[in-house]
């Protein structure tokens, strides 16, 4: 069942058994669509959201004449669980709140998304799954879990498995948020102002490269000093979201692994080798936590894949080119080439 909500819709998934053994009751997926499904039902592109993002934050990549062209493709933006629109701690009833929230893996995620796609549109193939960051991790899961269903995936600054160093970064950012005195007994008792500020500053040091800061590229965004940039763009960025939602998505991210399921039993090389889709790997060449080296290792196990790093000092943010026309042009050219294959 789907319900309309302003610029998006809600799919009611019902009660969903999770990998953890918990059941998520009354689970919901928010989604937004662009374009029209053609008569052959073969022009669908899935575009899952990234960490803390909602569909409106990433829809700028959908544009007539662009790689994600709604005049050619039927594009579905899928809101990730924990983003405040799909099922999240902030919209789930007691007792499934705070650290009692039923944690959702990316394997769980694509299982529910697949059922939604089948029930709403009944397509037999997905032309492409395109994603940045946690969106890319979802794209990888789609290709590994449903290898016969996916024709192409575009992995923009993402990986098949969260790397150990990546987990260390996430532990730091999450711990900064939970250090706020509002975090008590697994719940936030009030708005964690100090926690939001600390998390934003920790995150800023990882999301952009050293060169970005040395060359003061933040001035291109209208910031008048480094402090102004940190306050305006990072202290405020995550404070738009519910803090428990942010922690829930950190958990999902840290546990992202396409082989962590009964299909592959933790054997990452087998999971990568099972992927039949054409794979475009586009890490940022200055990304500090989704590194080129991780994708290069994955490449050796993939059947049909190309590694094309984004040449950009914007670090991880190179893959979300809202303010970077050169990065966007590079990404779109590569995605167009992928779709042409």
């Amino acid at each position: 069942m789907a319900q309309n909500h302003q610029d998006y819709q809600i799919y009611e998934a019902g009660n969903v058994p999770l990998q953890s053994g918990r059941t998520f009751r009354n689970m919901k997926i928010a989604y937004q669509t662009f374009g029209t499904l053609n008569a052959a039902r073969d022009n669908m592109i899935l575009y899952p959201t990234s960490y803390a993002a909602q569909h409106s934050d990433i829809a700028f990549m959908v544009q007539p004449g662009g790689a994600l062209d709604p005049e050619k493709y039927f594009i579905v933006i899928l809101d990730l669980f924990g983003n405040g629109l799909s099922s999240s701690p902030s919209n789930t009833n007691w007792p499934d709140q705070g650290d009692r929230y039923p944690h959702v893996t990316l394997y769980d995620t694509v299982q529910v998304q697949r059922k939604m796609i089948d029930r709403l549109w009944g397509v037999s193939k997905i032309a492409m799954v395109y994603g940045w960051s946690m969106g890319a991790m979802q794209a990888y899961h789609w290709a590994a879990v449903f290898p016969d269903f996916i024709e192409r995936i575009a992995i923009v600054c993402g990986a098949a498995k969260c790397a150990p160093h990546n987990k260390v970064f996430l532990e730091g950012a999450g711990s900064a948020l939970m250090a706020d005195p509002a975090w008590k007994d697994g719940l936030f008792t009030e708005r964690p102002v100090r926690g939001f500020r600390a998390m934003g500053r920790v995150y800023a040091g990882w999301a952009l490269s050293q060169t970005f800061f040395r060359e003061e590229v933040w001035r291109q965004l209208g910031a008048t000093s480094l402090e102004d940039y940190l306050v305006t763009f990072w202290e405020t960025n995550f404070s738009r979201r519910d803090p428990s939602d942010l922690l829930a998505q950190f958990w999902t991210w840290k546990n992202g692994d396409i082989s962590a399921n009964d299909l592959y039993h933790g054997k990452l090389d087998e999971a990568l080798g099972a992927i039949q889709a054409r794979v475009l790997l586009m890490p940022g060449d200055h990304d500090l936590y989704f590194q080129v080296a991780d994708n290069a290792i994955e490449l050796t196990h993939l059947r049909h894949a190309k590694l094309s790093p984004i040449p950009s000092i914007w670090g991880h943010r190179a893959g979300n080119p809202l303010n970077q026309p050169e990065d966007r042009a590079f990404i779109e050219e590569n995605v167009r080439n992928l779709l042409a294959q």
Side-chain angles (χ1 to χ4, degrees):
M1 180 183 298
Q3 301 176 4
N4 291 323
H5 288 259
Q6 299 173 358
D7 67 336
Y8 66 96
Q9 294 175 283
I10 293 288
Y11 171 75
E12 305 277 355
N15 297 340
V16 178
L18 303 176
Q19 281 191 299
S20 65
R22 294 284 305 277
T23 294
F24 202 123
R25 288 169 172 79
N26 303 312
M27 208 169 191
K28 300 175 177 61
I29 300 178
Y31 66 97
Q32 184 179 28
T33 65
F34 300 85
T36 304
L37 188 64
N38 63 15
R41 310 177 79 80
D42 63 0
N43 70 330
M44 178 177 283
I45 291 176
L46 301 182
Y47 183 12
T49 59
S50 52
Y51 179 74
Q54 297 179 350
H55 58 268
S56 58
D57 297 312
I58 67 170
F60 71 92
M61 288 295 290
V62 180
Q63 179 178 312
L68 304 183
D69 188 343
E71 296 178 353
K72 292 182 180 179
Y73 299 101
F74 179 53
I75 301 163
V76 182
I77 299 183
L78 299 162
D79 283 281
L80 178 60
F81 298 115
N83 81 339
L85 296 180
S86 291
S87 289
S88 308
S90 63
N91 57 30
T92 299
N93 294 329
W94 178 267
D96 296 332
Q97 296 175 332
D99 64 359
R100 306 303 294 167
Y101 175 74
H103 284 303
V104 183
T105 64
L106 292 175
Y107 177 83
D108 294 326
T109 297
V110 298
Q111 292 285 350
V112 183
Q113 291 172 345
R114 171 67 191 267
K115 289 181 180 178
M116 183 188 91
I117 299 301
D118 288 346
R119 291 176 183 174
L120 295 185
W121 296 289
V123 299
S124 58
K125 287 281 186 180
I126 299 294
M128 182 175 68
V129 188
Y130 172 94
W132 169 64
S133 195
M134 281 190 81
M137 297 178 82
Q138 290 170 79
Y140 241 140
H141 276 74
W142 268 97
V145 177
F146 308 113
D148 297 331
F149 192 54
I150 307 298
E151 294 185 332
R152 307 166 188 84
I153 57 173
I155 306 298
V156 185
C157 301
K161 180 179 180 177
C162 185
H165 190 252
N166 197 330
K167 291 181 180 180
V168 171
F169 147 58
L170 298 176
E171 284 292 330
S175 296
L177 183 57
M178 289 186 289
D180 192 287
W183 176 255
K184 296 178 182 178
D185 298 325
L187 287 169
F188 287 99
T189 56
E190 58 185 0
R191 181 177 172 81
V193 175
R194 279 181 280 178
F196 279 136
R197 290 172 176 169
M199 176 184 167
R201 286 174 179 258
V202 169
Y203 213 112
W206 286 91
L208 288 309
S209 74
Q210 294 94 335
T211 308
F212 174 92
F213 287 103
R214 183 170 58 250
E215 297 185 2
E216 299 185 350
V217 179
W218 37 263
R219 293 188 184 278
Q220 297 178 15
L221 301 173
T224 53
S225 67
L226 179 57
E227 179 66 12
D228 185 53
Y229 174 62
L230 293 175
V231 171
T232 305
F233 290 89
W234 287 99
E235 286 191 8
T236 60
N237 184 43
F238 296 115
S239 64
R240 301 175 300 158
R241 304 293 179 231
D242 180 272
S244 292
D245 290 356
L246 295 174
L247 293 180
Q249 287 203 334
F250 272 152
W251 188 95
T252 300
W253 183 344
K254 285 186 290 186
N255 288 276
D257 179 352
I258 65 170
S259 67
N261 50 64
D262 291 338
L263 294 174
Y264 303 112
H265 304 284
K267 298 177 180 178
L268 184 62
D269 56 345
E270 290 188 13
L272 290 164
I275 293 174
Q276 299 177 25
R278 292 189 177 275
V279 181
L280 173 61
L281 299 170
M282 280 192 293
D285 69 356
H286 281 61
D287 196 327
L288 299 179
Y289 48 91
F290 282 110
Q291 293 208 304
V292 176
D294 294 315
N295 284 163
I297 294 170
E298 294 164 359
L299 185 69
T300 64
H301 300 290
L302 293 166
R303 302 184 191 186
H304 313 288
K306 176 185 177 182
L307 177 62
S308 187
I310 307 167
S312 173
I313 63 173
W314 282 75
H316 186 64
R317 301 292 301 177
N320 188 44
L322 180 61
N323 300 292
Q324 309 105 257
E326 291 183 359
D327 295 345
R328 180 168 184 171
F330 182 91
I331 292 169
E332 298 224 19
E333 179 183 1
N334 278 272
V335 174
R336 283 194 189 92
N337 291 338
L338 175 66
L339 286 167
Q341 297 175 21

